[in-house]
Amino acid sequence: INYIEVNSMILSEVPISFSKLYDFQNSSISFGLSIKPMALTTTTQKIALGTASDDADEDIDQYETTYNSTVGLDLGVAYRPKNSLMTVGFVAKNINSPTFSVDSTPSDNPQGDFKIDPSFKAGISIPVWNDNFEFAFDADLNKNDTLIAGEQSQFIGGGVEYHPSSWFALRAGAMQDLASEKFDDGLIMTAGVGFGLKWLQVDLSAMMSSKKGEFDGQAIPRYASVNLSIVSRWGDGYNKLPPKSNDNIKTENINTNPYKAKRPKTGMS
């Protein structure tokens, strides 16, 4: 072997989601559906061994494959018992097994169609301190293919989110891959920040493995990623009109039976 092969993927998704909450006598259940247009580009780089970083650009063969866009489908459900802070969730992603057909691929390094198999995840979350903090734990229920042939991943993880207001949130956590047979990235640390109005929010997150490799004499994380999302939410809970004030209710209509109703507070002492 006289070169190192580096594979990378740029997968873009634009989810259009709908969710609905149903209240029952002993619990509440939310159902969600996401339809997401998807675009994919993959790149393969072959770097000659022994190449110094200053000369690397001259000794890299790069092959880019573009794919026709497709559509993916996600489903989710969240269950919360009455008088409980805990929420249990389940998510099924890409349940329609979206397939990307090749648009263009280099003749000297041809690639075939790319299919994403469904993945399933379950988790729990518990808010504390007036909902300002929320602790969460989740786990992949199945193994998922990766860009490396024959290599799969299956993660478990947990974290905490701090959201003192509706327009700002900070997150931190960690996760571990249980399925990898060829690579051990160690514990992967995660962090994120979200900010913006309820109907338009920006979310930035990053991941970095605890174990490091070496390139050109420099220690670098074995695994790292950065994600940027722009989220817009509409509907009940985000654009609902505030409830009508009771301040203008006549006193005689309230106090006709003092054992059934009390005069509403006006907010003034």
Side-chain angles (χ1 to χ4, degrees):
I1 299 176
N2 56 7
Y3 65 86
I4 298 174
E5 183 174 290
V6 179
N7 297 308
S8 60
M9 168 195 290
I10 300 177
L11 177 63
S12 302
E13 300 178 349
V14 185
I16 302 171
S17 304
F18 170 81
S19 63
K20 181 67 175 179
L21 172 66
Y22 296 91
D23 282 318
F24 300 97
Q25 182 177 359
N26 297 316
S27 64
S28 62
I29 301 179
S30 298
F31 296 93
L33 169 69
S34 290
I35 300 174
K36 52 186 186 182
M38 307 169 70
L40 175 67
T41 299
T42 61
T43 301
T44 299
Q45 293 179 322
K46 295 183 178 179
I47 306 174
L49 291 177
T51 298
S53 59
D54 294 339
D55 301 325
D57 291 341
E58 300 178 2
D59 294 307
I60 293 179
D61 293 326
Q62 181 166 303
Y63 309 93
E64 182 177 276
T65 298
T66 59
Y67 296 83
N68 295 308
S69 60
T70 188
V71 175
L73 184 64
D74 299 344
L75 293 176
V77 60
Y79 169 80
R80 185 172 185 174
K82 286 291 186 182
N83 302 319
S84 174
L85 296 177
M86 182 181 67
T87 299
V88 180
F90 171 79
V91 176
K93 296 179 66 67
N94 303 308
I95 61 174
N96 60 326
S97 298
T99 300
F100 296 89
S101 59
V102 173
D103 179 37
S104 64
T105 187
S107 58
D108 51 348
N109 190 57
Q111 302 294 318
D113 294 348
F114 189 90
K115 183 179 75 170
I116 300 180
D117 292 326
S119 62
F120 306 94
K121 184 186 293 287
I124 61 172
S125 66
I126 302 175
V128 296
W129 195 27
N130 295 325
D131 287 349
N132 287 330
F133 281 91
E134 185 168 4
F135 293 89
F137 170 84
D138 59 47
D140 290 337
L141 301 181
N142 65 314
K143 295 181 179 181
N144 302 294
D145 292 331
T146 69
L147 281 176
I148 302 173
E151 184 72 1
Q152 293 183 311
S153 67
Q154 186 174 14
F155 286 96
I156 62 169
V160 59
E161 179 178 271
Y162 173 57
H163 39 258
S165 65
S166 61
W167 62 269
F168 180 75
L170 285 173
R171 297 184 305 277
M175 62 183 189
Q176 179 83 45
D177 186 3
L178 303 178
S180 178
E181 297 181 357
K182 298 179 182 178
F183 304 97
D184 180 12
D185 297 325
L187 192 66
I188 298 176
M189 310 303 296
T190 67
V193 58
F195 55 90
L197 301 175
K198 290 183 178 181
W199 52 270
L200 184 62
Q201 297 180 335
V202 176
D203 191 282
L204 178 65
S205 61
M207 306 178 186
M208 184 176 67
S209 62
S210 59
K211 291 194 174 182
K212 300 182 182 297
E214 185 175 317
F215 177 76
D216 194 25
Q218 300 292 323
I220 60 174
R222 293 180 58 90
Y223 175 88
S225 71
V226 176
N227 298 284
L228 175 65
S229 302
I230 299 177
V231 181
S232 181
R233 296 186 174 95
W234 302 88
D236 290 346
Y238 294 95
N239 295 281
K240 185 182 295 183
L241 293 175
K244 294 182 179 180
S245 172
N246 290 330
D247 293 349
N248 295 326
I249 297 178
K250 294 182 179 180
T251 303
E252 58 267 27
N253 291 336
I254 294 297
N255 292 329
T256 54
N257 187 338
Y259 296 101
K260 291 186 177 180
K262 296 181 180 180
R263 181 185 178 93
K265 295 182 180 179
T266 62
M268 301 176 60
S269 56

